[in-house]
Amino acid sequence: MLTHAVPDGIGLRPPRHRVERRTIALWAVRAVGGAVAAAAPPTLVHLLWPDARPWAGPLLAVVAGLGVLHALVMPGVRYAVHRWEVTDASVYAAGGWVVREWRVAPVSRIQTVDTTRGPVERLLGLSTLVVTTASSSGAVRVRGLAPAVAEEAAERLNTLTQRTPGDAT
Amino acid sequence: MSGSAPEAPWLRLDRRMVAVDALRLVLAQLPALVALVVVGVDADTVWPLLGVAAFGAVSAVADLVRWSRTRYRVTAEHVERRTGLFVVRHRSVRRDRIRSVDADARLLRRLAGLRRVTIGAGQVNTAGESALTLDALSLDAALALRRDLLDGAGPPDALATLARFRWTWVFYNMVNVWAYVMAAGLLWGAYWTATMFGADPGGWVGGLADWDALGPWRTALVVLAAVGLLGFLGMAGAYFTEHAHFRLERVPTENGTALRTTQGLLKTREITRDDARLRGVALSEPLLWRWAGVTDTSVITTGLSRWSVAATVLPRGPRGVARRVADAVLAEPVSPLAARLAPHPAAARRRRLCWAAAVAAAGALVLYWLAATTALPAATWWLGALALLLPGALLAEAGYRALGHAVSGRYLVLRSGAVSRATSALRRDAVSGVRVRQSLLQRRLGLATVSVSTAAGYGVYTAHDLAAADAAPFAADALPHLAPFLAAPGERPPARDPRGRAAVRQL
């Protein structure tokens, strides 16, 4: 087992594998994109509507400041926190940054296993493993895997799932 | 009729629907006829009634067309229905997907001995949408279809009756904010009808009392009370029509048992829920009526969402009855709902108070800014803060007191909710995943939140703000698959946060 990435106060050991280091770039790109989207409306108001500048200016400053802070801090924290592991019985993933999250999905309850690649992920050579169960609570997503690793994990999970009887509900 | 020999034939809906539609056609014309011929109302003011008549005629004819174009059949694997005049819609539902077969009837259909059959085949999240409606079949055909689809064998006699209608429950269902909405609707309808027939309801109400002598405040009180009374009576009436003859029974089915509710005065509604899909029960108690013990009871099943009416197995009623019924539904040797729920650490209260304070501070900040830039008086910011802080703190306290969790035999029991306290007992083998969450604030306070996901009911059930040290063991109780990921004993957080304990002592 690797050394403890971040000591957690939860009584769970961290999952075995880290995500790829270049995922930091992925998170940074996403954070910058989000910041630009959030800053666009106040910027437009500021430029097009001079009467609104007394409040649009401070708002823009706050939004931009938070956006920059987010883009600087979040990727590094996430890289330290995000980890994953697939065993014969379950998928185990840890993630988050301000709100940390540990998720376990038993193989016997898995309904679908997918790997997805967005445009930025494709540029960076990354892949996301998506595991869904019968619950409506959302899939377990592991971002930032090397495509070969994600494929292999998905294949393994698919084989394991087929071997497990039952309708997974 | 379709081709090969073993195929089931396509069937028509019952012929008596033609008579029902014809009668509807005639009945729809009656109000306008009465108004014009008997009362002699001016033709200028009667147009809304003519509209009603025209609408009734069109819908009756449309229903007749629908009847003539609809065919259905039940094969070994599917229930199929074809309908539609210009666009023929063909819908088929696989028989093993069928969750419920409802038979209900409004007055005319009931008089004609007809039942509308609704075949439900929901999946998680799409539930509540009924898959297929046959409007209408004869009572015999409806019963036979239900037997065929759900039970297989003859009409099931109840194995046990878990609850019966009690008229005292009406008190739990009539006093309600919706009473005012209902009263408004009733009054508007009455006013509209009265003016149409030339009466003067305004003058009549004006003559009831010397309103000027009462003054505006007392007038408002009297009106509020009168309207409320009307609304409560309306709610009571609605409750009786919907829930009269209520019965909750456990009935045998082809491959096990099912919970069946039967209810309704004019329109009998029957819902059957397969016990094989039962994963737990949930009781919810609204905050404002906690003193009266008002409780809603529903089942957690796969294939039905919590929001679907079918999940409700008992009308709103007293807590004691709800508990007894819930226990009978679960039929466990030791009732999970009787389990002593572990309270959550005092830090959970502090977290809620922090949030209440944060919301009040944000509100105060906005008001302060508005007061500084606009004509708003300067005192509003602290008045606003107080107005937010007090209810916020009370809700925080209520939310904290609602928290509790337990593991009882095969079940997890989770309780939470400030405005509506929900106690859910969920079968542990129904848990299909676990999520432990910890925000920065929770981490500082030594708390963590555990959510279990399941294919039934809400899909997620959450134990909010456990002590951080209890989170992982509780999660492992909920889902044994988590056990291999527990930290070695030396690496776990201390059994109890010393600061938390000191705080407990102070309180």
Side-chain angles (χ1 to χ4, degrees), chain B residues 288-312:
Chain B
L288 287 179
W289 300 103
R290 192 81 46 82
W291 54 272
V294 169
T295 308
D296 292 314
T297 312
S298 52
V299 288
I300 302 171
T301 49
T302 59
L304 288 174
S305 83
R306 255 300 297 271
W307 295 278
S308 145
V309 262
T312 306

Side-chain angles (χ1 to χ4, degrees), chain A residues 1 4 6-16 54-55 81 85-87 89-92 97-110 133-138 140 167-169, chain B residues 124-125 279 302 369 428-443 447-449 453-455 457-460 468-469 471-473 479 481-482 484-488 491-493:
Chain A
M1 196 169 83
H4 317 296
V6 169
D8 61 42
I10 219 79
L12 287 171
R13 71 163 171 77
R16 201 144 286 177
W55 59 268
V81 165
E85 179 173 346
V86 171
T87 71
S90 24
V91 180
Y92 176 29
W97 67 296
V98 171
V99 179
R100 296 191 51 193
E101 178 174 292
W102 296 260
R103 297 185 69 159
V104 177
V107 166
S108 56
R109 302 304 176 101
I110 290 177
T133 64
S135 162
S136 55
S137 72
V140 177
D167 68 346
T169 50
Chain B
V124 176
N125 290 339
R279 300 290 184 270
T302 59
W369 181 72
R428 287 202 269 166
D429 58 10
V431 173
S432 66
V434 163
R435 178 167 72 177
V436 182
R437 284 167 71 90
Q438 193 180 42
S439 68
L440 278 181
L441 180 61
Q442 281 180 310
R443 194 161 171 189
L447 300 170
T449 291
S453 50
T454 173
Y458 278 139
V460 185
L479 184 72
H481 294 80
L482 186 118
F485 308 125
L486 289 175
E491 294 168 341
R492 290 183 199 174

Side-chain angles (χ1 to χ4, degrees), chain A residues 9-85:
Chain A
I10 219 79
L12 287 171
R13 71 163 171 77
R16 201 144 286 177
H17 312 294
R18 290 197 114 143
V19 299
E20 297 293 323
R21 203 181 169 84
R22 47 188 190 278
T23 319
I24 295 178
L26 173 69
W27 282 313
V29 169
R30 290 169 69 101
V32 169
V36 168
T43 311
L44 281 178
V45 170
H46 189 80
L47 291 178
L48 300 179
W49 194 20
D51 286 348
R53 284 189 187 164
W55 59 268
L59 184 67
L60 181 56
V62 168
V63 168
L66 287 178
V68 168
L69 201 68
H70 180 237
L72 285 178
V73 176
M74 182 272 279
V77 178
R78 278 199 186 270
Y79 178 66
V81 165
H82 277 241
R83 298 177 143 261
W84 68 284
E85 179 173 346

